[in-house]
């Protein structure tokens, strides 16, 4: 039981501008369930991606069953005996359960011909082992998320994995399904398989894990035996860090209500959401990934259809709920994925900056090129976008500068309300600071700003008020004075405690 | 100061723009072909008569290809242009001969019929969410069928001279279809480069989701480009009917592929977002000069197809290789 | 990478060349192939309907290669006239464009509906063979016009001897240019058996004379392309003595669309063309073509329908032509002397 399966020593990983992991140590024993917890961006996923060979470590060593291991590709990690089940499952929905289990390792006869009988028989054995009772010929798309997860586990068993990593496996499961998954994990433990269990739900951590490791800001805080610690201790370890002065939040007089959202419902992830935003206010939206924050903003802006609710901007109720209408009313929306949703990568900086405000620089639908150049030059200077010129294609810019181009596009419409969804994701510290400064400046000019962020320090540092969302609902609103990571995590985690 | 720097670089950029644009490859290919042809057949190729004949021939394809280009920039495709080409041609001719309408109103009706088919394509693609390939495959068949239906398969001749002028006449010693092509190219170039809607066409093709979030009415833009494509097919069809002095339901079979080939040779990308008006004209010119060259050199028809295929692949891969090198 | 591309291109070219030559080869046997189904003069299908039908209940379907091809309209009119005369029903059905597969499904539909007779012009001799045999086996009388499927169980073929009209055209050209010279050929779809036969008839007849046949040019069955090719080719070859069009595509355009042809004829050039459709006749009068050689489509339509009618009625006097059941419908000629009379027989378009 105490025999060590894996030792990760002094693991370091740098991304451009960020040190994602700083000398992280992790020891996994054979047949234990080891929980890995921490905030978004604490380094859990990065660590696991190094373990699975997706990323290469910059420093440190990995010892697997007593032998030093250099991982260069996911294939090597799989061959060694690790298996990772990601949040977004890696199954082919159009293929059967059995085919999925043996994908890439198809059972064959005579070298080229698939052996269907063996495939089905073996698949049935593994499916049985995880306690699932389904026909292995069923197509994966017909299964619930929970069952798909079990299929992933069965697939891991079929490669005789000694270590199975589950990245937030319960995030999209119902309570009953979670119970089944817990049973499977216990069964794996008795078979001597080591399980790494990544979760935000402390209740589950207490229920299932033998030991728990807490990561924060890319550092390993500590590894404890689960039954020897309590919840508040873990929360403190997860968030306990002083706020640095990188958030230049200036006190701005808060004015009248600019945006009012009432009883908004849209899709599956937005349930009866109401909030309001005032002039000069920065309203933070906190919550876990998948809490429905982006979905709320997409519905407010009119990208996604809303099923019910009312949106009032500066006294005017939106009627059509289309982006074009929202823009006309002075709403700007910077989506979370700048490459997929924010930019037209093949276009120049000039074209991207003016895309939402072409009406302003045109006469009778004809673009005034001189004005257009002036506008984009103006924003390049204002936001100090580093580019060779306005004709530079945006896909040649760095992440931070790309983000600034998206912001420039929305500033060009002279917005009253600006919604920023993960404005600092994937950009370096310097650019982050600039974006914070800009937000402060805009607020001072009377713009109302909504900021969604998964980085709690950022939300706390920048916001006048914080709306905490969980599972599509607003769970609470915190004032700047009462806002702290503990308070936010409490709102979210208590909710989970209550549920189980 | 920075503004000044910009304007200077803009002036020097005309040469640069040609050098960097996807048109360079096409221009080189055209020059090479012309040189080879001049060496091979001399004055037969270089004679004014022949050059004008070649230009007039490809002008019909080029007009169609300009419309197709707009569709391809949005990431779509229109297979119905060949059939719309025929339909608008016969509708115009019928309007003149059977319904005794004036040339002007007949041409107007022909243009509207093409526009209507394009509009229909746009509706099918945006409102019914049919893939462009399928929607336009359907209208391709509908337009062709209607052409047969209203004519019973008979060609429609005895057209007034004022109509034939569109295809056979000359304006300042230049054949009307060439003038038409140049005017339309200028209009479309202006549309794509200078108007808001034109910018939106590129944005929709570049990133539909980002375009939608930027407040662009994506559906309206798509309907617009398909309508324009239908209109251009109609203009080409009417001009061809005028050039031959007869409207036929069988005209334009397979022309959709010629138009698509011209656009792709002209440097547009089927994945959308890229392309300009000069491209399809150069593409159509390459095909026209090539066909002319094969005829002038008296190459047997049995071999011509293979040669055309090789040149198409060379023309497209030339650009790709050049881009890779960069 | 570039090397590989080059190899692919070479391979593709070789494949295309092989395709061309193979196409030429396969096109030849269609006329030479012996019809093997000469089972006696009656050639009656395995009919199990002993009762002779009333005239008004008899339906004969006439299936052209394509509904869009105006050339079949004379056959259609003649067949319908003959049907009216005999008091039977004539149906005009076919694929919307020249496509063998589509034509097969049209015939399948006719088998399903159990029409009494089918008169068909085949898009492809081999592709249509099976379905024709099935129709015959199910008790339908099948006659072929215009384009044959010689190995099928069809009762007869009424049409033109394409080799013969090619030969005739060549003889006329020889007569027009006694001193010889260069002759160009315009064709339509490459590999179409009837067109290839005409070219073969033409080439073999001028062989050994002082006529030089230039490489074949194609207008791809498209009026516009044909007009452009003829114009450009004529302008580029000032020493050209004559043209042979193995189909009348350029003459579907307006005379004004062919200034090069006008000039060519004025300067002593000569043109012989196949087809005698109504719109083409005016070109004879204008001196823009020396001779039109037409397949006799009206004869194909009326002889075809009449022969089928006799077979259906069990009429012993039925004439199925020669030993291969080929009924030669002959051809018609139109030149400057007789074009007005020929035109008078045409239904105006």
């Amino acid at each position: 039981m105490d025999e060590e399966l894996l030792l990760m020593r002094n693991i370091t990983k740098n991304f451009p501008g960020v040190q994602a992991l700083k000398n992280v140590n992790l020891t996994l024993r054979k047949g234990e369930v080891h929980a890995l917890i921490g905030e978004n961006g604490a380094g859990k996923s990065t660590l696991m991606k190094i373990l699975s060979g997706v990323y290469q470590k910059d420093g440190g060593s990995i010892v697997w069953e007593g032998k030093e291991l250099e991982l260069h590709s996911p294939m090597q990690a799989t061959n060694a005996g690790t298996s990772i089940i990601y949040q977004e499952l890696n199954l082919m929905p159009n293929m059967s359960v059995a085919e999925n289990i043996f994908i890439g390792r198809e059972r064959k006869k005579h070298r080229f011909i698939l052996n269907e009988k063996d495939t089905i028989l073996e698949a049935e054995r593994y499916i049985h082992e995880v306690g699932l009772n389904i026909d292995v010929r069923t197509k994966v798309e017909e299964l619930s998320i929970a069952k798909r997860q079990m299929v992933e586990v069965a697939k891991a068993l079929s490669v005789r994995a000694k270590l199975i990593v589950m990245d937030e496996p319960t995030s999209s499961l119902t309570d009953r399904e979670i119970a089944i998954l817990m049973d499977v994990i216990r069964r794996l433990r008795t078979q001597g398989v080591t399980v790494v269990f990544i979760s935000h739900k402390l209740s589950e951590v207490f229920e299932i894990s033998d030991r728990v490791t807490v990561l924060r800001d890319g550092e390993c805080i500590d590894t404890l035996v689960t039954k020897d610690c309590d919840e508040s201790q873990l929360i403190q370890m997860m968030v306990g860090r002083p706020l640095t002065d990188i958030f230049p939040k200036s006190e701005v007089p808060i004015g009248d209500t600019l945006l009012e959202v009432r009883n908004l419902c849209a899709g599956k992830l937005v349930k009866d959401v109401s909030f309001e935003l005032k002039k000069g206010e920065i309203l933070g939206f906190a919550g876990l990934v998948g809490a429905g924050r982006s979905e709320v903003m997409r519905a407010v802006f009119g990208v996604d259809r809303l099923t019910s609710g009312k949106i009032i901007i500066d006294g005017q109720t939106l009627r059509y709920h289309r982006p074009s209408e929202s823009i006309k009313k002075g709403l700007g929306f910077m989506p979370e994925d700048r490459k997929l949703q924010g930019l037209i990568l093949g276009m120049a900086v000039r074209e991207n900056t003016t895309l939402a405000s072409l009406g302003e620089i045109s006469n009778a639908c004809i673009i005034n090129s001189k004005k257009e150049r002036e506008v984009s030059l103006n924003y390049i200077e204002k936001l100090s976008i580093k580019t060779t010129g306005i004709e530079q294609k945006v896909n040649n810019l760095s992440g931070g500068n790309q983000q600034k181009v998206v912001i420039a596009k929305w500033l060009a419409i002279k917005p009253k309300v600006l919604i920023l969804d993960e404005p600092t994701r994937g950009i370096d510290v310097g650019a982050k600071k600039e974006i914070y400064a800009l937000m402060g400046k805009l607020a001072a000019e009377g713009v109302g700003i909504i900021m969604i962020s998964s980085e709690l320090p950022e939300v706390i540092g920048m916001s006048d008020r914080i709306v905490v969302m969980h599972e599509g609902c607003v769970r609470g609103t915190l004032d700047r004075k009462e806002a702290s990571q503990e308070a936010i995590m409490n709102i979210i985690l208590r909710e989970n405690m209550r549920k189980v | 100061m920075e503004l000044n720097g910009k304007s200077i670089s803009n002036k020097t950029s005309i040469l640069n723009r040609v050098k960097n644009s996807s048109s360079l490859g096409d221009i080189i290919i055209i020059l090479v072909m012309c040189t080879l042809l001049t060496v091979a057949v001399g004055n037969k190729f270089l004679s004014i008569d022949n050059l004008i004949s070649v230009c007039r021939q490809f002008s019909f394809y080029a007009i169609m290809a300009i419309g197709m280009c707009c569709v391809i920039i949005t990431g779509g495709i229109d297979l119905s242009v060949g059939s719309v080409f025929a339909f608008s041609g016969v509708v115009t001719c019928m309007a003149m001969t059977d319904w005794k309408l004036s040339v002007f109103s007949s041409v107007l009706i022909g243009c509207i019929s093409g526009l209507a088919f394009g509009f229909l394509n746009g509706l099918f693609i945006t409102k019914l969410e049919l893939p462009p390939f399928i929607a336009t495959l359907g209208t391709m068949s509908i337009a062709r069928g209607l052409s047969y239906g209203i004519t019973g398969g008979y060609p429609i001749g005895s057209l007034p001279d004022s109509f034939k002028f569109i295809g056979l006449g000359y304006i300042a010693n230049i054949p009307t279809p060439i003038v038409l092509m140049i005017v339309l190219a200028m209009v479309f170039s202006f549309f794509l480069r200078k108007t808001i809607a034109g910018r939106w066409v590129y944005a929709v093709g570049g990133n539909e989701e980002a375009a939608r979030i930027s407040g662009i009415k994506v559906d309206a833009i798509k309907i617009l480009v398909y309508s324009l494509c239908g209109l251009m097919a109609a203009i080409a069809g009417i001009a061809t009917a005028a050039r031959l002095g007869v409207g036929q339901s069988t005209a334009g079979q397979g022309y959709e592929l010629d138009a698509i080939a011209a656009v792709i040779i002209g440097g547009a990308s089927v994945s959308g977002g890229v392309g300009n008006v000069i491209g399809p004209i150069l593409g159509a010119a390459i095909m026209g000069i090539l066909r002319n060259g094969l005829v002038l050199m008296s190459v047997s028809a049995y071999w011509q197809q293979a040669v055309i295929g090789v040149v198409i692949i060379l023309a497209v891969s030339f650009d790709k290789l050049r881009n890779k090198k960069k | 990478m570039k090397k590989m591309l080059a190899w692919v291109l070479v391979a593709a070219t070789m494949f295309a060349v092989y395709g061309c030559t193979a196409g030429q080869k396969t096109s030849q046997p269609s006329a030479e192939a012996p019809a093997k189904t000469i089972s006696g003069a009656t050639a009656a299908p395995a009919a199990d309907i002993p009762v002779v039908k009333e005239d008004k209940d008899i339906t004969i379907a006439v299936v052209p290669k394509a509904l869009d091809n105006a050339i079949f309209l004379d056959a259609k009119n003649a067949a319908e006239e003959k049907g009216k005369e005999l008091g039977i029903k004539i149906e005009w059905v076919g694929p919307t464009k020249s496509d063998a597969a589509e034509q097969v499904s049209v015939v399948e539909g006719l088998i399903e509906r159990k029409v009494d007779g089918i008169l068909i012009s085949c898009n492809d001799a081999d592709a249509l063979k099976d379905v024709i045999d099935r129709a015959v086996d199910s008790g339908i009388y099948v006659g072929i016009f215009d384009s044959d499927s010689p190995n099928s169980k069809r009762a007869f073929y009424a049409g033109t001897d394409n080799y013969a009209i090619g030969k005739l055209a060549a003889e006329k050209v020889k007569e027009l240019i006694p001193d010889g010279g260069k002759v160009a050929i315009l064709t339509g779809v490459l590999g179409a058996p009837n067109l290839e036969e005409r070219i073969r008839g033409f080439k073999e007849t001028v062989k050994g004379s002082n006529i030089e046949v230039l490489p074949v040019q194609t207008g791809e069955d498209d009026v516009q392309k044909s007009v452009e090719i003829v114009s450009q080719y004529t302008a580029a070859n000032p020493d050209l003595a004559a043209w042979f069009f193995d189909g009348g595509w350029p003459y579907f355009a307006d005379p004004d669309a062919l200034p090069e042809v006008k000039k060519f004829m004025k300067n002593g050039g000569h043109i012989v063309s196949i087809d005698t459709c109504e719109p083409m006749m005016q070109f004879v009068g204008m001196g823009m073509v020396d001779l039109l050689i037409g397949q006799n489509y009206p004869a194909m339509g009326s002889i075809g329908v009449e022969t089928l009618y006799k077979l259906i009625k069990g009429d012993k006097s039925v004439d199925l032509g020669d030993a291969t059941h080929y009924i030669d419908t002959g051809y018609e000629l139109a030149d400057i002397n007789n074009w007005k009379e020929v035109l008078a027989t045409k239904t105006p378009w």
Side-chain angles (χ1 to χ4, degrees), chain A residues 46-288:
Chain A
T46 309
L47 188 63
M48 288 304 116
K49 279 183 177 157
I50 285 172
L51 177 56
S52 64
V54 176
Y55 290 163
Q56 259 88 70
K57 58 180 162 41
D58 294 336
S61 63
I62 300 174
V63 180
W64 175 263
E65 293 188 306
K67 267 179 278 178
E68 184 109 357
L69 194 62
E70 279 298 325
L71 289 173
H72 298 294
S73 75
M75 205 60 193
Q76 280 179 307
T78 311
N79 290 342
T82 63
S83 190
I84 296 209
I85 301 171
Y86 292 103
Q87 270 168 291
E88 62 279 13
L89 302 175
N90 280 327
L91 297 173
M92 320 278 168
N94 57 333
M95 294 171 78
S96 78
V97 170
E99 284 164 340
N100 263 293
I101 289 176
F102 293 108
I103 200 140
R105 303 169 291 119
E106 284 77 7
R107 305 288 108 151
K108 9 176 207 215
K109 50 188 176 191
H110 317 304
R111 287 193 64 184
F112 295 116
I113 298 155
L114 290 172
N115 188 340
E116 268 182 55
K117 215 176 106 198
D118 275 15
T119 308
I120 287 171
L121 281 176
E122 284 190 52
E124 272 171 350
R125 214 179 71 221
Y126 292 119
I127 286 295
H128 213 73
E129 252 176 70
V130 296
L132 209 55
N133 190 20
I134 52 166
D135 185 347
V136 294
R137 278 162 293 208
T138 320
K139 288 217 167 116
V140 164
E141 61 197 355
E142 292 166 28
L143 300 179
S144 67
I145 301 288
K147 284 188 176 149
R148 290 186 203 187
Q149 219 140 30
M150 304 298 178
V151 173
E152 284 270 24
V153 176
K155 190 172 155 186
L157 290 178
S158 77
V159 295
R160 295 193 186 77
K162 294 170 188 157
L163 170 63
I164 298 178
V165 179
M166 298 185 184
D167 193 357
E168 297 197 44
T170 60
S171 57
S172 43
L173 299 190
T174 64
D175 293 349
R176 243 213 355 247
E177 289 169 339
I178 292 172
I180 297 170
L181 181 71
M182 293 299 170
D183 278 345
V184 172
I185 294 175
R186 281 186 204 104
R187 199 168 326 158
L188 290 174
R189 174 162 53 190
T190 58
Q191 288 168 5
V193 177
T194 305
V195 176
V196 173
F197 185 83
I198 300 176
S199 180
H200 278 296
K201 302 183 185 174
L202 292 184
S203 55
E204 289 167 2
V205 170
F206 283 110
E207 185 187 342
I208 194 77
S209 69
D210 301 308
R211 293 194 303 158
V212 54
T213 295
V214 183
L215 290 185
R216 189 179 72 215
D217 291 344
E219 281 176 280
C220 180
I221 302 304
D222 204 355
T223 299
L224 303 165
V225 174
T226 314
K227 61 175 188 285
D228 296 343
C229 56
D230 63 33
E231 193 194 327
S232 55
Q233 190 183 352
L234 287 183
I235 292 179
Q236 201 115 55
M237 287 168 72
M238 278 164 71
V239 299
R241 123 188 86 164
L243 291 183
T244 54
D245 57 353
I246 64 164
F247 304 110
K249 176 71 181 120
S250 47
E251 286 303 319
V252 170
I254 306 291
D256 299 333
T257 301
L258 260 181
L259 170 74
E260 210 182 329
V261 174
R262 280 192 216 147
N263 307 101
L264 185 74
C265 292
K268 282 182 186 159
L269 266 172
V270 181
K271 301 167 196 161
D272 197 25
V273 170
S274 302
F275 61 90
E276 57 181 53
L277 172 74
K278 294 187 163 55
K279 230 177 154 177
E281 184 181 40
I282 297 178
L283 182 64
F285 268 71
L288 302 175

Side-chain angles (χ1 to χ4, degrees), chain A residues 298 301 323-324 327 339-341 343-344 347 350 354 356 358 362 365-367 369 372-373 377 409-410, chain B residues 2-3 6 10 190 193-197 199-200 202-203 206-207 209-217:
Chain A
R298 285 173 68 88
F301 192 66
S324 49
I327 291 171
K339 285 191 176 169
L340 292 181
Q341 302 162 331
L343 292 166
I344 293 172
M347 278 188 166
R350 166 179 57 84
T354 56
L358 285 172
S362 306
C365 290
I366 294 161
I367 299 167
S369 336
E372 182 177 25
R373 272 201 303 275
L377 281 172
K409 171 169 80 180
W410 293 114
Chain B
E2 210 177 340
L3 263 168
K6 280 290 159 297
N10 264 346
F190 182 82
R193 287 157 46 97
K194 298 287 179 194
T195 67
I196 296 183
R199 178 70 54 80
W200 286 358
Y202 285 100
N207 185 342
E209 176 74 357
R212 182 171 288 125
I213 290 175
S214 300
I216 293 169
K217 295 180 181 106

Side-chain angles (χ1 to χ4, degrees), chain B residues 57 148 244 255 298 301-303, chain C residues 17 20 68 216 222 233 254:
Chain B
Q57 185 188 4
Y148 296 149
L244 298 176
Y255 283 22
S298 225
Y302 299 96
W303 290 86
Chain C
V17 170
C20 287
D68 69 16
V216 174
D222 184 282
Y233 201 81
D254 191 272

Side-chain angles (χ1 to χ4, degrees), chain A residues 400-414:
Chain A
N401 283 304
Q402 284 183 344
Q403 198 73 322
K404 286 185 195 167
V405 172
V406 184
I407 294 177
K409 171 169 80 180
W410 293 114
L411 292 186
I413 71 163
K414 312 237 158 46

Side-chain angles (χ1 to χ4, degrees), chain B:
Chain B
M1 199 194 85
E2 210 177 340
L3 263 168
N4 261 338
K6 280 290 159 297
S7 66
I8 288 165
S9 73
N10 264 346
K11 260 172 207 157
T12 52
S13 75
I14 292 173
L15 236 176
N16 261 328
R17 218 192 282 166
V18 174
K19 214 168 94 190
N20 295 327
S21 78
S22 53
S23 303
L24 179 68
D26 291 338
I27 292 170
I28 291 175
I29 287 172
I30 289 176
L31 289 178
V32 168
M33 283 202 307
C34 291
T35 316
L36 287 177
L37 277 172
T38 311
V39 170
V41 297
N43 286 339
K44 281 187 196 176
F45 175 72
L46 278 185
S47 78
I48 299 290
D49 280 351
N50 186 60
L51 289 178
I52 283 188
S53 163
V54 172
C55 292
R56 183 171 60 194
Q57 185 188 4
F58 78 68
S59 62
F60 303 104
Y61 295 96
I63 290 171
M64 220 174 0
I66 291 171
M68 179 70 78
C69 184
C70 297
V71 167
I72 287 182
I73 290 173
T74 64
I77 196 98
D78 187 348
L79 299 180
S80 69
V81 289
S83 298
V84 171
F85 175 96
F87 182 72
S88 305
V90 296
V91 164
T92 308
C93 294
M94 277 189 101
M96 272 178 293
T97 54
D98 290 9
W99 313 333
K100 311 276 182 245
L101 296 177
S102 72
V103 170
F104 179 77
S105 16
S106 304
V107 169
L108 198 67
I109 288 175
C111 289
I112 290 171
S113 70
L115 196 74
F117 261 109
F119 185 74
L120 216 60
N121 279 332
L123 282 189
F124 288 157
I125 289 158
T126 53
K127 303 301 169 196
L128 297 182
E129 290 174 24
L130 296 179
F133 192 90
I134 301 301
T136 58
L137 194 69
T139 41
M140 167 176 156
S141 199
I142 295 171
R144 181 67 66 191
L146 288 180
S147 315
Y148 296 149
I150 59 173
T151 59
Y154 287 100
I156 303 164
S158 349
L159 304 169
D161 284 345
S162 53
F163 174 67
K164 286 193 255 178
F165 174 79
I166 302 172
L168 284 170
Y170 291 81
I171 296 171
N173 284 331
I174 302 168
T176 328
I178 301 178
V179 175
L180 200 59
M181 170 184 81
I182 293 169
V183 170
L184 287 169
M186 284 175 4
V187 170
F188 270 74
S189 184
F190 182 82
F191 165 71
L192 285 176
R193 287 157 46 97
K194 298 287 179 194
T195 67
I196 296 183
R199 178 70 54 80
W200 286 358
V201 168
Y202 285 100
V204 168
N207 185 342
E208 202 174 316
E209 176 74 357
R212 182 171 288 125
I213 290 175
S214 300
I216 293 169
K217 295 180 181 106
V218 174
D219 284 0
I221 287 296
K222 283 189 180 174
I223 292 173
L224 175 72
V225 293
Y226 282 97
S227 303
L228 288 176
C229 186
L231 175 66
M232 291 299 264
I235 293 174
I238 294 165
T240 303
R243 189 255 179 280
L244 298 176
V246 61
Q248 342 149 60
S249 51
T250 53
Q253 303 236 31
Y255 283 22
E256 55 277 351
L257 294 182
D258 288 321
I260 293 168
V263 175
I264 302 302
I265 292 174
S269 151
V270 267
S271 46
V274 188
N276 57 36
V277 171
I278 301 304
I281 294 178
L282 292 177
I286 287 179
M287 306 264 281
I289 295 171
L290 181 61
R291 287 214 170 98
N292 178 249
L294 292 169
V295 168
L296 295 188
M297 289 164 70
S298 225
V299 174
S300 164
Y302 299 96
W303 290 86
Q304 290 183 6
Q305 298 262 321
V307 180
I308 292 172
V310 169
V311 172
I312 289 178
I313 288 176
L314 277 179
V316 177
S317 43
F318 193 81
D319 261 349
K320 296 262 182 251
L321 292 177
R322 215 164 55 96
N323 283 342
K324 233 178 226 165
K325 249 191 186 164
K326 266 194 214 163

Side-chain angles (χ1 to χ4, degrees), chain C residues 5 16 34 42 58 73 81 92 101 152-153 155 161 206 213 221 226:
Chain C
L5 193 77
T42 49
I58 292 176
L73 294 170
E81 207 142 291
W92 181 253
S152 67
K153 294 185 188 169
D161 184 343
V206 298
V213 178
D221 221 4
S226 301

Side-chain angles (χ1 to χ4, degrees), chain A residues 258 313-314 316 329-331 414-418 446-449:
Chain A
L258 260 181
I313 300 173
D314 217 3
Q316 291 168 293
K329 294 278 184 325
L331 196 59
K414 312 237 158 46
K416 291 177 193 159
V417 176
L418 191 57
V447 177
I449 295 175

